[in-house]
Amino acid sequence: MLMVPVLAQADPGPAAPGLNVYLPLVLLFVLAAGFAVFSVLLGPLVGPKRYNRAKTAAYECGIEPSPQPLVGGGRMPVAYYITAMLFILFDIEMVFLYPFAVNANALGVFGLVEIVLFIVTVGFAYAYVWRRGGLDWN
């Protein structure tokens, strides 16, 4: 019987993370780009074929378009635009609150003080808008 020496293999230890940790991110970008290209190419195929005045009119969020220019035709109502800006303001507030909610324990008292200051600042903005009548639909 022939004995062949077996070399002891050294334990390589934990594998160093390579570029494969970025694979889900790359796949997400590829999926987003594919969806964008698919949407752009599919739009003309499934879009309206017979155009009329109603289909080509601009949608103005409930504001009736008029043939008169706004220069001398009176004031343009801005309630929809103010509401949109307020939505963006408070939506951004929520975007800043999510990281705090995730890491509340790690941030400790410092994070609590910072988030309270942030909410108070946004609260002043909310009170200002409310007092100026920005939330009234009259």
Side-chain angles (χ1 to χ4, degrees):
M1 179 165 175
L2 183 61
M3 302 287 285
V4 178
V6 177
L7 298 175
Q9 294 180 352
D11 184 26
L19 293 179
N20 57 354
V21 296
Y22 294 106
L23 183 63
L25 186 64
V26 170
L27 290 177
L28 182 65
F29 279 122
V30 168
L31 182 66
F35 180 74
V37 169
F38 176 74
S39 298
V40 168
L41 294 177
L42 191 65
L45 296 175
V46 297
K49 303 291 187 255
R50 291 174 291 181
Y51 293 98
N52 59 28
R53 187 173 185 196
K55 286 185 179 181
T56 58
Y59 178 67
E60 294 290 337
C61 300
I63 300 171
E64 288 293 325
S66 65
Q68 297 177 351
L70 294 176
V71 178
R75 294 187 65 182
M76 181 175 161
V78 294
Y80 293 102
Y81 304 110
I82 290 176
T83 304
M85 292 304 293
L86 290 175
F87 172 77
I88 290 171
L89 173 76
F90 293 113
D91 191 45
I92 290 173
E93 175 190 10
M94 291 307 300
V95 167
F96 283 120
L97 287 177
Y98 276 121
F100 171 75
V102 171
N103 288 332
N105 291 337
L107 295 174
V109 176
F110 174 76
L112 181 64
V113 169
E114 291 296 321
I115 208 68
V116 166
L117 288 174
F118 178 72
I119 290 174
V120 166
T121 304
V122 173
F124 280 131
Y126 178 72
Y128 174 77
V129 168
W130 191 354
R131 185 168 180 174
R132 296 284 304 225
L135 303 177
D136 293 333
W137 281 91
N138 297 335

